[in-house]
Amino acid sequence: MTPMLHYAPGACSLAAHIALLEAGADFELRLVKFAENQQHSPQYRELNPLSRVPVLVTDRGPLTENLAILAWVAQTWPKSKLAPIDDPWGLAQVESFNSFVASSVHVAFSHLFRPGRWVDSEPAQKATAAKAPDMLRALFDIVETKLAAGPFVHGKQFTTSDPYLCVMSRWLFRTGVSDATRHPRVRAHATLIQERPATLAALAAEGLTAN
Ligand SMILES: N[C@@H](CCC(=O)N[C@@H](CS)C(=O)NCC(=O)O)C(=O)O
């Protein structure tokens, strides 16, 4: 079967969307309407009990979590060289960075966007969201250093880390949490990735533009 990516516009699923296009994969898109709470529907929860995008439905079943989807895409379409799958150290570098994005950067954004996930009372939610920008700026300071070699996250070779970071950078700049003065390399990287045909196609398919 043709893999089907369940996504929400501009959400973290955009990373998987771009990676699939970079890989030259044949796949279908299925919009999950957050405004209608479709992620909580019984049908969707069968695909992902956590009620989140992305889910990539494959002929072997649904695959959840960006980390796993990005790794699966890189290994299923090896010619696209989205990860150095024959080099244990190089592959570990990609997995290390992607894990950092998933477990630290994305989670810090969740404190900003969805503080109610973490605490109940309104004052506590306000305090949680208020703390997030400092956390995010500190995390992107690490990314800024990492991008010194450039132009991509891991140097000269584009990998799955690039669209994954780009999605987070779009959120960083869109929310005004940072800018090109504090994070010039992150800003340049986000622009570079959003100029690539695969990213432009993914943005257009999701009804978005580069930022
Ligand atoms: N660890 C998951 C996180 C997925 C996630 O948080 N997705 C968000 C969009 S960026 C979502 O579906 N949110 C829906 C909700 O919270 O109701 C991954 O990396 O795939």
Side-chain angles (χ1 to χ4, degrees):
M1 71 170 278
T2 309
M4 181 182 286
L5 178 68
H6 293 253
Y7 79 102
C12 57
S13 47
L14 178 58
H17 189 175
I18 296 168
L20 284 161
L21 288 169
E22 288 278 358
D26 185 18
F27 67 100
E28 292 174 21
L29 279 175
R30 175 67 59 85
L31 174 64
V32 180
K33 294 181 182 164
F34 285 177
E36 296 176 15
N37 275 320
Q38 285 180 349
Q39 73 273 34
H40 297 294
S41 70
Q43 300 93 311
Y44 192 78
R45 285 173 67 89
E46 270 182 31
L47 297 177
N48 186 357
L50 200 58
S51 294
R52 308 259 173 92
V53 293
V55 174
L56 186 67
V57 179
T58 74
D59 54 5
R60 296 182 68 180
L63 185 59
T64 62
E65 297 293 330
N66 269 297
L67 269 182
I69 295 172
L70 293 172
W72 184 82
V73 170
Q75 293 184 60
T76 303
W77 287 273
K79 284 187 188 148
S80 61
K81 295 195 185 321
L82 289 177
I85 56 177
D86 297 326
D87 169 12
W89 180 253
L91 184 58
Q93 295 305 308
V94 173
E95 293 308 315
S96 170
F97 186 84
N98 290 357
S99 301
F100 163 77
V101 172
S103 62
S104 294
V105 181
H106 192 173
V107 172
F109 274 114
S110 302
H111 283 73
L112 182 66
F113 295 146
R114 296 197 185 264
R117 243 186 225 168
W118 311 96
V119 285
D120 287 328
S121 78
E122 207 173 302
Q125 288 187 26
K126 277 194 178 148
T128 300
K131 174 76 183 149
D134 277 347
M135 289 165 60
L136 283 162
R137 283 187 284 267
L139 291 167
F140 274 92
D141 286 348
I142 295 170
V143 178
E144 186 70 17
T145 304
K146 171 87 180 153
L147 285 172
F152 301 117
V153 172
H154 301 289
K156 290 192 174 62
Q157 179 66 39
F158 177 93
T159 66
T160 55
S161 297
D162 293 294
Y164 203 10
L165 173 61
C166 179
V167 171
M168 300 294 137
S169 305
R170 280 172 54 87
W171 297 351
L172 181 77
F173 297 122
R174 196 196 69 208
T175 53
V177 164
S178 187
D179 55 28
T181 306
R182 168 103 182 222
H183 293 113
R185 292 188 196 122
V186 176
R187 180 60 268 181
H189 175 269
T191 300
L192 178 73
I193 303 308
Q194 290 180 96
E195 286 169 352
R196 291 173 72 88
T199 309
L200 289 170
L203 290 171
E206 297 194 10
L208 305 168
T209 52
N211 80 351

